Amino acid sequence: CSAAAVTEPEQETGMGLAIPLSEPTGTSGFSDVPVGAYYEAAANWCRERGIFSGALFSPDRPMTRATVANALYRAEGSPSVTVTAFPDIPAESEYANAASWSAANGVMSGYADGRFGGEDPVTRQQMAAVLWRYAKSPAAEAGEDFADEASIASYARTAVDWARANGVMNGKEGNRFDPAGTLTRAQTAAILYRYMVSNNSGTEASNTPMVYMTKDISPEGLMAVYKALNWTPSGKMAVKLSTGEPGSNYLRTDLIGELVQSLDEPTIV
């Protein structure tokens, strides 16, 4: 089974069970986020939580280190901090608290010359390392090497393994990770949304939608997906069952019967 992420959907024959809990609501609120864009839900989610704000999202604008620090700082609820002096981030800067918080918590540190590098663009390997540290630097098994594995900096190798294993960041065409490639605001929003919603074990993960999918189109396959939720619904329930195929998504009664009978007065939608 797999948890849905913020990626453009692939046409694939399968069967999914979706239980929406607390989805982003309405439009993104940004005038430059097209309806249906792959990052629309991520931009909406980030705006609702105060991670990004303003009238324009500027999806193609490069993501900076200061903005990444600010996004994670806001995701933490903007806790009070003792401001750390960085020569390139004045104490009155809107990013001063975020930079100080990220440095104090080992999420992002300054450069060897003492600068934070707030206006520098964020590379893919830096983003992997930042989120890995934010997740408390968990152990990660080395998976299949990327074609450009040798180009990944030593400080980011475990982080990249972790990011790929947890579906936070994936490779590019040709099995490349492109470690030095920079990220746009749209790409970063999608990565943050994937991490916070699908891979964080905290509050966000328990209050956001998850989708589990199986290609085993059988009563046993559907029950396996349901059991993978490790969750017993209560109160008023609505269960959405879909094969994911174009056209009619009608599921036979003999296919869904076991699942329906396992619930307490559900509504099938």
Side-chain angles (χ1 to χ4, degrees), residues 27-41 43 57-60 186:
T27 61
S28 70
F30 295 110
S31 61
D32 56 350
V33 174
V35 174
Y38 77 89
Y39 54 85
E40 181 188 15
F57 181 60
S58 303
D60 298 324

Side-chain angles (χ1 to χ4, degrees), residues 38-64:
Y38 77 89
Y39 54 85
E40 181 188 15
N44 186 13
W45 180 86
C46 287
R47 184 182 180 87
E48 288 181 350
R49 286 152 183 79
I51 295 175
F52 294 123
S53 59
L56 295 177
F57 181 60
S58 303
D60 298 324
R61 182 178 168 185
M63 191 67 173
T64 64

Side-chain angles (χ1 to χ4, degrees), residues 65 69 73 79-111 113-118:
R65 284 171 52 85
Y73 175 64
S80 59
V81 296
T82 299
V83 175
T84 301
F86 288 104
D88 57 335
I89 298 186
E92 65 274 12
S93 167
E94 63 178 310
Y95 300 119
N97 285 348
S100 299
W101 169 85
S102 64
N105 288 275
V107 176
M108 297 177 70
S109 57
Y111 295 145
D113 61 5
R115 294 182 305 112
F116 186 76

Side-chain angles (χ1 to χ4, degrees), residues 8-34:
E8 295 180 278
E10 298 178 356
Q11 289 300 319
E12 185 172 22
T13 299
M15 176 172 62
L17 182 150
I19 299 184
L21 299 176
S22 178
E23 300 178 283
T25 57
T27 61
S28 70
F30 295 110
S31 61
D32 56 350
V33 174

Side-chain angles (χ1 to χ4, degrees), residues 38 57-63 122 182-190:
Y38 77 89
F57 181 60
S58 303
D60 298 324
R61 182 178 168 185
M63 191 67 173
V122 175
T182 55
L183 292 168
T184 65
R185 286 167 62 89
Q187 291 168 338
T188 305

Side-chain angles (χ1 to χ4, degrees), residues 93-148:
S93 167
E94 63 178 310
Y95 300 119
N97 285 348
S100 299
W101 169 85
S102 64
N105 288 275
V107 176
M108 297 177 70
S109 57
Y111 295 145
D113 61 5
R115 294 182 305 112
F116 186 76
E119 295 305 313
D120 293 349
V122 175
T123 66
R124 287 171 54 81
Q125 63 183 358
Q126 287 173 346
M127 191 66 189
V130 165
L131 290 180
W132 177 67
R133 293 178 194 136
Y134 182 72
K136 309 302 183 186
S137 306
E141 293 185 7
E144 177 186 356
D145 282 354
F146 286 105
D148 54 354

